[in-house]
Amino acid sequence: MDVTIFGSGYVGLVTGACLAEVGNNVLCIDIDPKKIDLLNSGGVPIHEPGLEELIKNNRDAGRMHFSTDAEAGVKHGLFQFIAVGTPPDEDGSADLQYVLSVARAIGQHMETYRILVDKSTVPVGTADKVAAAVREAQAARGLSVEFDVVSNPEFLKEGAAIEDFMRPDRIIVGTDNPRTAELLRALYAPFNRNHDRLMTMDIRSAEFTKYAANAMLATKISFMNELSNIAEAVGADIEKVRIGIGSDPRIGYQFIYPGCGYGGSCFPKDVRALEQTARGLGYDPQLLHAVEAVNFRQKELLFKKISDYFGGDLKGRAITLWGLAFKPNTDDMREASSRVLMESLWAAGARVQAFDPVAMEETRRLYGERADLLLAPDAVSALDGADALAIVTEWSQFRSPDFALIKERLKSPALFDGRNILDGRLATAAGLTYVSIGRLPLIPA
Ligand SMILES: NC(=O)c1ccc[n+]([C@@H]2O[C@H](COP(=O)([O-])OP(=O)(O)OC[C@H]3O[C@@H](n4cnc5c(N)ncnc54)[C@H](O)[C@@H]3O)[C@@H](O)[C@H]2O)c1
């Protein structure tokens, strides 16, 4: 089938590459000429495991093309996927300007029936706005061509996006047209062979399902973070509590890790957008508000712990950060906890010495060259001469470090484990002061 994807970011490229892999002819459109040039010259603008190879194979096989030409995109695909960004507006609601500009472009150039498939995360009611924008653009041309708008929210996880797309837990198709549902079913059939995971529903419920899923996941994290702070205050160990409660199948072990807060391009903005939607309708969403507020506070916790350790005086100190991406296996730093920590350290007059396996370039892009930021070539050299080490992202390579070496390289023996990934007893045995999230303090040997 011929498929056009508007937006060549995390969602657009993964969707495009996976649809091309099963035999479709995919044209990816983006307004950023640098991204398209890079893709056309064999590069990939983001880090996502397996994506580069998948794109290369399908580009070489002639099933995947890249362009900035929206008109060509509209002409190409029966399916017109919208996978552009929906960043937060000033008040936290989703900014729909990119989605609606794609809708207008489709209305301006379409000549035959098209299915607009909305993969971007958008507030309930957006499909109606998309349809209105298409109709308006058609009216300006003095014509009316049939089209459908489908809500098909994406649930992939960065870092495991290809696996998630190839073997999805669910494929949500929101449409009021049974014929369109069948066409989507045919497009998704290769990803739906094991058992039927495609669920059709009305458009509004589909749009809402995505927000509901992210709000639930964010709630689990903030709940555990709240408990970790209480555990610390009462002298309990949140890791023991986690194992204790996870054993109840109604709770489960997944997604109940305490830490230094959630980031990324989805949870923070989607929880805020859902909150704004509810407020706009006169409902006070107290739980959603608390989920974000707890997370905001949690992202400041590592700084607070480091500052307390140094008696509130961080001026002239150097702090090492291991991990900058918002989670492992991605270079995405949108709303990353590392950014809150770095910016607080700088504001307090400290220097940052940082290492991340893949997010160094992104850090350079975000912060540029500055005297108080050293981007080290590897994790160990990031320690040299620093006063303390903070682990911010739970990359596998940080899980079993040489504690003696850390002790030797640091000026003062302080290790702040923002993701509770280390064995504090080993750290303490090596003479380090080990500070984690919600666990009992350990006294150095
Ligand atoms: N990243 C994720 O893990 C994830 C998961 C599920 C859903 N989503 C949702 O999917 C959407 C896209 O997210 P993303 O992370 O891929 O964003 P992204 O920022 O990585 O990519 C968006 C791309 O859209 C392009 N764009 C903007 N306007 C355009 C236009 N008019 N025509 C063509 N391209 C245009 C931008 O240049 C950019 O390359 C968002 O709504 C997001 O909430 C993201």
Side-chain angles (χ1 to χ4, degrees):
M1 295 195 213
D2 291 333
V3 178
T4 299
I5 317 256
F6 283 91
S8 302
Y10 289 87
V11 171
L13 286 178
V14 169
T15 304
C18 292
L19 287 173
E21 178 69 10
V22 298
N24 297 294
N25 298 310
V26 176
L27 176 57
C28 293
I29 305 290
D30 204 285
I31 47 169
D32 183 345
K34 277 203 275 188
K35 256 186 199 179
I36 295 299
D37 285 349
L38 180 66
L39 285 158
N40 276 326
S41 60
V44 174
I46 54 169
H47 175 89
E48 180 60 45
L51 184 62
E52 195 163 344
E53 199 189 345
L54 203 62
I55 290 182
K56 183 185 180 308
N57 292 346
N58 285 288
R59 193 199 292 114
D60 292 353
R63 287 191 299 266
M64 211 176 172
H65 294 92
F66 306 94
S67 171
T68 52
D69 184 351
E71 183 173 352
V74 178
K75 300 246 155 78
H76 174 78
L78 165 65
F79 298 97
Q80 303 274 313
F81 277 82
I82 304 177
V84 298
T86 45
D89 231 332
E90 273 159 31
D91 66 355
S93 58
D95 180 353
L96 291 180
Q97 61 166 309
Y98 305 105
V99 170
L100 294 178
S101 116
V102 174
R104 278 192 295 275
I106 295 172
Q108 273 157 14
H109 300 299
M110 65 186 286
E111 280 159 6
T112 52
Y113 176 67
R114 289 287 175 258
I115 303 172
L116 283 72
V117 186
D118 192 357
K119 256 208 175 308
S120 296
T121 303
V122 291
V124 176
T126 299
D128 295 340
K129 291 185 181 162
V130 166
V134 175
R135 259 185 244 110
E136 206 178 297
Q138 287 191 359
R141 296 163 64 203
L143 37 95
S144 167
V145 183
E146 193 196 352
F147 66 94
D148 277 302
V149 181
V150 177
S151 166
N152 172 221
E154 182 51 57
F155 296 91
L156 62 78
K157 300 183 285 298
E158 282 176 27
I162 289 168
E163 175 69 13
D164 286 348
F165 196 96
M166 291 291 192
R167 271 177 274 281
D169 299 326
R170 76 229 108 158
I171 303 160
I172 305 267
V173 173
T175 173
D176 42 22
N177 184 341
R179 189 191 62 177
T180 314
E182 281 319 302
L183 287 168
L184 263 295
R185 185 175 283 285
L187 182 69
Y188 275 115
F191 311 101
N192 196 30
R193 280 174 59 85
N194 179 270
H195 63 276
D196 191 8
R197 283 160 292 195
L198 190 140
M199 302 165 201
T200 51
M201 57 180 79
D202 61 281
I203 299 176
R204 285 180 171 247
S205 302
E207 289 172 333
F208 197 61
T209 300
K210 174 66 190 176
Y211 281 100
N214 277 356
M216 179 73 206
L217 294 169
T219 301
K220 285 182 96 171
I221 297 175
S222 276
F223 176 80
M224 280 311 281
N225 284 337
E226 180 105 299
L227 289 199
S228 73
N229 296 330
I230 301 172
E232 225 168 84
V234 299
D237 182 337
I238 193 65
E239 289 301 332
K240 302 239 164 64
V241 176
R242 177 178 69 77
I243 289 162
I245 62 171
S247 58
D248 182 336
R250 293 171 303 173
I251 297 174
Y253 287 112
Q254 283 196 326
F255 241 70
I256 57 168
Y257 291 101
C260 53
Y262 61 73
S265 70
C266 292
F267 293 171
K269 94 172 160 60
D270 293 349
V271 173
R272 268 178 242 146
L274 185 55
E275 185 185 346
Q276 279 310 314
T277 298
R279 282 199 199 290
L281 295 165
Y283 179 80
D284 176 16
Q286 294 177 15
L287 180 59
L288 295 178
H289 183 73
V291 167
E292 254 301 280
V294 167
N295 191 54
F296 190 80
R297 190 174 56 191
Q298 202 70 12
K299 281 169 138 178
E300 294 176 329
L301 194 62
L302 266 184
F303 174 75
K304 194 176 169 305
K305 283 175 184 275
I306 295 170
S307 176
D308 287 352
Y309 178 83
F310 290 107
D313 183 14
L314 287 168
K315 216 169 167 45
R317 293 199 184 272
I319 308 297
T320 299
L321 266 69
W322 278 3
L324 297 163
F326 87 92
K327 68 171 179 180
N329 300 318
T330 182
D331 59 351
D332 198 339
M333 288 180 64
R334 286 177 281 188
E335 308 237 16
S337 300
S338 65
R339 296 176 67 173
V340 175
L341 177 56
M342 283 194 285
E343 287 164 24
S344 306
L345 288 168
W346 289 328
R351 285 179 291 117
V352 169
Q353 305 187 173
F355 173 74
D356 185 284
V358 301
M360 305 297 268
E361 224 175 285
E362 182 61 3
T363 312
R364 216 170 273 125
R365 189 186 71 78
L366 287 168
Y367 293 110
E369 295 293 327
R370 42 187 298 167
D372 49 9
L373 172 63
L374 172 84
L375 293 173
D378 57 74
V380 172
S381 44
L383 298 168
D384 280 335
D387 292 277
L389 164 64
I391 297 181
V392 192
T393 315
E394 64 276 33
W395 283 96
S396 313
Q397 61 179 262
F398 303 148
R399 283 171 191 262
S400 194
D402 182 339
F403 291 108
L405 189 69
I406 294 175
K407 166 88 173 23
E408 186 190 307
R409 299 286 180 114
L410 289 177
K411 272 202 282 187
S412 58
L415 166 51
F416 297 85
D417 181 358
R419 299 290 174 190
N420 286 2
I421 54 172
L422 300 181
D423 184 336
R425 287 164 309 178
L426 296 178
T428 342
L432 290 159
T433 298
Y434 176 75
V435 180
S436 57
I437 309 285
R439 285 196 277 184
L440 301 175
L442 291 161
I443 316 299

